[in-house]
Amino acid sequence: MKRHRHRIHVFASRAHKWLALFIGAQLLIWFASGALMSFLPIDKVRGEHLVTREVVTTIPAAAQFVDPARFAASAGAPVEAINWHMLGDRPVAEVTTTKGIKLFDAATGAALPPVDAAMATAIANAAWKSASKPNSKVSRITNESPEYRGALPAWRIAYADPDATSVFVAADTGKITAVRTGTWRLYDFFWSLHIMDWKNHEDFNTWWLLGFAIGGLIFGLAGTVLLFMRWPIRRKPRSKPPNDGHAR
């Protein structure tokens, strides 16, 4: 029994030592990145203090809409939904089909082109909360990146503010699909370290993460075994036999 206990002790000690050397750095990264991400206010990460994502403009009561059947006939694909909203100063019908989203002038039924750079900039400026709007530069986005994985194509309106804020506007709907700030980029960097996806920053089912997670579990179990086996146990002294006063 004593020999078996010694083997368990040696195995747990070696496993704990080597795992500490191998995954110790990643454990520190997990703890540090998790603490920092918990520390950052989520509203600042999302840029909600700078940009209002959902700007709701009331459709004028006197607006006249054409028959929705016209939109269905002009969509070119089976229609799944039709929504009416304001795009700039014009009421539009947003028609969702099996092949994508198309915009129509709600008053005339005419098909509208995708949102252009000028309209996207106007949408982003209207959503900017501060009265003073910094200078901006607009660019067209056609490929996904770690910074943006929303609807494509889209417009990126980059502002020259202290937070280096970028507002992304979908070209097919004119909706703000993402807001990126310096705080978000810091959060995203630590997120990539936390999930061990250093390239795309989104896959938390990688073999790297799984392997280190299992290693961390074994590390913790080995440490628990060592703690149990090395814990000082105070044994009761053996009781002496009663002395009956007779010599033997």
Side-chain angles (χ1 to χ4, degrees), residues 19-20 23-33 212-213 215-217 219-220:
L19 284 172
I23 69 171
Q26 183 59 38
L27 287 175
L28 290 177
I29 291 175
W30 278 339
F31 297 148
S33 59
F212 273 82
L217 177 61
F219 177 75

Side-chain angles (χ1 to χ4, degrees), residues 7-19:
R7 287 180 177 176
I8 294 177
H9 183 276
V10 171
F11 175 79
S13 179
R14 289 178 178 175
H16 193 73
K17 178 182 69 175
W18 287 108
L19 284 172

Side-chain angles (χ1 to χ4, degrees), residues 1-14 16 220-235:
M1 180 67 182
K2 189 174 182 180
R3 187 177 181 181
H4 183 66
R5 178 184 176 90
H6 177 72
R7 287 180 177 176
I8 294 177
H9 183 276
V10 171
F11 175 79
S13 179
R14 289 178 178 175
H16 193 73
L221 293 175
T224 303
V225 171
L226 290 176
L227 179 65
F228 176 77
M229 299 187 72
R230 295 177 179 179
W231 190 266
I233 301 175
R234 184 175 298 175
R235 297 181 179 179

